[in-house]
Amino acid sequence: MSAIATHANRLPGRPRPGIVTSVSKASPHRNHRWKVLGIGVAANASFSATFAGIPATAVFLRSGYHLSNGNLGLVLGLLGLGVALSELPCGLLTDRWGDRGVLLTGLGAKAAWLLLMALFIVPSMAYVPGVAMLAACLLVTGLLGGSVNGSSGRAIMAWFHEGERGFAMSIRQTAVPLGGGLGALVLPSLASAYGFAVVFGLLASASAVSAFFAWLWLHQPPAGDDAGNAVATPAGPAPLRNIEVWRLATAIGLLCFPQVAVLTFASVFLHDFAGMGTLVISASLAAVQVGAMVLRVWSGRFTDRHGNRRPFLRLCSALSALAFATLGLLVLAAAATPDWQPALMPAIAVLLVVAGISVSAWHGVAYTELATLAGASHAGTALGLANSFVFIAFFLVPAGIPGLLLVSSWAGVWLAAAACALIAWPIFLRPT
């Protein structure tokens, strides 16, 4: 009986004829897993709307807070640094104390902090917060948001089986482009029309709503559930002593460098270099997020069925390198031949969208492979490690792009993005 109940590769809802298993007994509880997945989506969407939505307002952030390009890169980079510093500690705490407490604490604290920013850290006719004040506030915002990824990922690993985890984690990862896309569509217009008090207030409300549903629905699977048993059983060495976990986490971080370049400075690029208006900029960034969302869901189901997560990750890395290299060469051609610029600018905008989608489509597959390598009981630590590398990129890229612009212009930025994707390709694990 116990052997049947702990057969992790059998999909739920297909017990052997004539035998009552723990899965069939727990089927009402197994249906609860979709609520848990919904919590993961909501939590990640609210966080993504913050860390991707605020950079989408970069043009208005720059003018409203009187920032130079260098200061703009600094404050946006510190948002990512805050997440990078808190991801691994939050992952370790999740594996030790459970996902519910860590997720609730992080979402609630972030909601309260953003509300305080809406009340006190916004520019007005009488007062403009200094660069140091804004940078410190965004650093704290990132620190409080680091709880979301590891805790929600571990909850999904607890409730879903191996044959469906890639699909579930990919759905969860659609929350990143979903939240970022909504932020890109809504927040620049709100910043332009109503100021940053409304921007921060809306983000605080999204975190508070996510925290409420996490409090309502998030708990551990019932005893005897197949997927829940997987959490109690470690697999292989601990993540921080597993070289394959480190390799995959490093490759994930490297492939995020070009993605972060799109998320943080694409709006400035389209405005300053391509001369695009707010509507086109918002639509382009939203198209990146929607395209990434669709491909993440498809890739999760596709790799679950074919067992080809590692080849898929290497393919995404190669395609991203090609897309950004082409974009960089087009930008170089437009800068060198002013007569071609009217014809090249729409193509550059379209190619930026294509490159952004390519470099954003693989996250659910990568995180599933990483959590599988580490073992479900150590998923919080492994995911926290990977996201530490990811948000190091969110710190370094915005801080580095202004300097790179001084040295090599926008063509150099996109060619450097291509180089990062190319370096990640051999680091991703080969198929076993």
Side-chain angles (χ1 to χ4, degrees):
M1 178 69 176
S2 61
I4 296 171
T6 57
H7 181 51
N9 290 327
R10 177 169 46 77
L11 292 176
R14 295 184 181 179
R16 294 183 184 180
I19 297 177
V20 179
T21 69
S22 62
V23 176
S24 60
K25 286 181 180 179
S27 57
H29 300 287
R30 291 287 297 146
N31 290 334
H32 184 79
R33 71 194 192 280
W34 299 110
K35 292 181 181 179
V36 175
L37 179 56
I39 292 165
V41 170
N44 278 269
S46 66
F47 179 56
S48 176
T50 302
F51 80 78
I54 290 177
T57 68
V59 173
F60 302 106
L61 199 70
R62 183 174 60 181
S63 60
Y65 287 89
H66 303 168
L67 304 175
S68 66
N69 276 344
N71 287 336
L72 176 65
L74 173 66
V75 298
L76 293 180
L78 286 175
L79 177 63
L81 178 62
V83 184
L85 292 175
S86 62
E87 275 283 350
L88 183 56
C90 286
L92 290 166
L93 287 176
T94 297
D95 288 339
R96 179 179 293 270
W97 291 344
D99 40 64
R100 177 182 170 87
V102 174
L103 185 59
L104 279 174
T105 301
L107 287 173
K110 186 163 74 74
W113 182 254
L114 286 167
L115 181 60
L116 289 175
M117 288 184 63
L119 293 174
F120 301 111
I121 313 296
V122 293
S124 65
M125 295 294 294
Y127 170 69
V128 177
V131 175
M133 176 67 72
L134 178 62
C137 288
L138 290 182
L139 175 66
V140 173
T141 302
L143 286 169
L144 296 176
S147 65
V148 170
N149 181 65
S151 56
S152 64
R154 189 180 189 275
I156 289 170
M157 291 292 289
W159 278 91
F160 285 82
H161 294 257
E162 171 57 26
E164 57 190 9
R165 282 175 180 156
F167 181 57
M169 290 283 275
S170 292
I171 290 177
R172 187 200 71 148
Q173 285 303 115
T174 63
V176 177
L178 174 63
L182 290 174
L185 277 176
V186 174
L187 296 185
S189 298
L190 288 179
S192 175
Y194 303 106
F196 281 91
V198 175
V199 170
F200 296 142
L202 181 61
L203 294 173
S205 299
S207 292
V209 170
S210 299
F212 170 75
F213 283 104
W215 171 80
L216 192 65
W217 287 334
L218 184 58
H219 55 76
Q220 290 298 313
D225 182 86
D226 286 5
N229 287 343
V231 174
T233 306
L240 300 183
R241 297 197 300 269
N242 189 331
I243 187 61
E244 290 191 334
V245 168
W246 278 93
R247 276 189 61 181
L248 187 51
T250 302
I252 288 171
L254 276 171
L255 197 51
C256 280
F257 272 64
Q259 182 195 13
V260 174
V262 173
L263 291 177
T264 56
F265 267 84
S267 61
V268 177
F269 167 70
L270 291 173
H271 178 271
D272 292 357
F273 182 83
M276 304 294 182
T278 301
L279 181 61
V280 174
I281 292 172
S282 295
S284 298
L285 294 179
V288 170
Q289 303 289 11
V290 171
M293 184 171 59
V294 171
L295 282 181
R296 286 183 188 191
V297 174
W298 171 83
S299 64
R301 175 63 76 184
F302 177 76
T303 54
D304 271 350
R305 289 178 174 175
H306 297 279
N308 59 343
R309 290 176 193 148
R310 294 184 182 184
F312 178 82
L313 293 173
R314 290 168 66 86
L315 177 62
C316 285
S317 184
L319 290 178
S320 297
L322 178 62
F324 279 102
T326 305
L327 176 61
L329 292 175
L330 274 183
V331 170
L332 194 62
T337 55
D339 292 342
W340 292 6
Q341 287 183 4
L344 287 177
M345 290 308 172
I348 285 173
V350 171
L351 190 54
L352 177 66
V353 171
V354 171
I357 292 173
S358 174
V359 82
S360 304
W362 49 271
H363 290 71
V365 175
Y367 286 140
T368 305
E369 180 67 13
L370 183 64
T372 302
L373 274 174
S377 61
H378 293 149
T381 301
L383 295 174
L385 176 65
N387 259 28
S388 294
F389 285 111
V390 168
F391 285 95
I392 286 173
F394 269 90
F395 169 63
L396 293 178
V397 172
I401 283 179
L404 194 57
L405 284 173
L406 292 176
V407 175
S408 61
S409 76
W410 283 108
V413 170
W414 303 126
L415 290 174
C420 290
L422 188 60
I423 293 170
W425 176 77
I427 300 176
F428 274 118
L429 301 174
R430 292 181 178 274
T432 54

